[in-house]
Amino acid sequence: MKSVESVAIHLCAPLMLLSMLVLGMPLRAATEDEKAQAVAQGYLKLLDKDNAEDAWGQVGQYWRRVTSKREFMEGVQTWLKARAGTASGRELVMRRTLSADEANTTNPESKVKGPVYIFRFRSEYPKGKFFEDVTVIADDNGTLRIAAHLPQPVE
């Protein structure tokens, strides 16, 4: 005869799995690449809300080494004027991950210690369509942060 605990486990496990599927809960942990993409998308959403201050909070040590907060804010204001409004659409059109060795060979000054995640989004704004290249790198403490944002018109 089966114990009550054994029966409960056999009955509960499928129900828990079904609940996770219905509620949209992930069945696996996000990969580092997926986490980096979420960081990039979160940063762009902050800019969509004209929230330069919180966007600066997402900028990591690699970008902060070469750009002051004042320069960042001026650059964001220039970008906000150029696009003239919030994105009405955005899609990921390219992603690339470079190992630390690849990144440091390409750009020896970077001295990154982990992967470099590069995402290209195609965004549609009131003043036109733009590619937005967003680079994400982990800071020394392991936190994924924005290392670069390069918008350019789609030609």
Side-chain angles (χ1 to χ4, degrees), residues 24-127:
M25 295 173 63
L27 298 177
R28 63 172 177 77
T31 65
E32 201 68 9
D33 182 75
E34 291 167 332
K35 291 176 187 176
Q37 182 178 335
V39 168
Q41 290 171 318
Y43 170 80
L44 293 174
K45 286 179 184 176
L46 289 171
L47 292 180
D48 282 344
K49 295 176 184 175
D50 296 348
N51 192 340
E53 190 67 37
D54 284 352
W56 173 251
Q58 298 301 308
V59 170
Q61 67 191 40
Y62 292 97
W63 198 352
R64 289 177 186 233
R65 284 183 192 154
V66 296
T67 304
S68 69
K69 182 177 180 180
R70 181 185 57 77
E71 292 169 324
F72 174 83
M73 294 298 183
E74 288 171 359
V76 166
Q77 291 308 313
T78 300
W79 169 231
L80 295 178
K81 288 177 188 171
R83 67 179 203 194
T86 301
S88 59
R90 176 173 291 127
E91 67 176 314
L92 179 66
V93 295
M94 188 274 302
R95 71 173 56 211
R96 182 161 184 218
T97 303
L98 299 176
S99 69
D101 289 340
E102 290 173 303
N104 290 324
T105 298
T106 305
N107 183 8
E109 296 83 35
S110 67
K111 297 178 181 145
V112 297
K113 296 176 182 153
V116 176
Y117 304 95
I118 304 163
F119 303 96
R120 173 169 276 188
F121 297 91
R122 187 173 185 270
S123 305
E124 192 163 335
Y125 291 101
K127 283 203 174 173

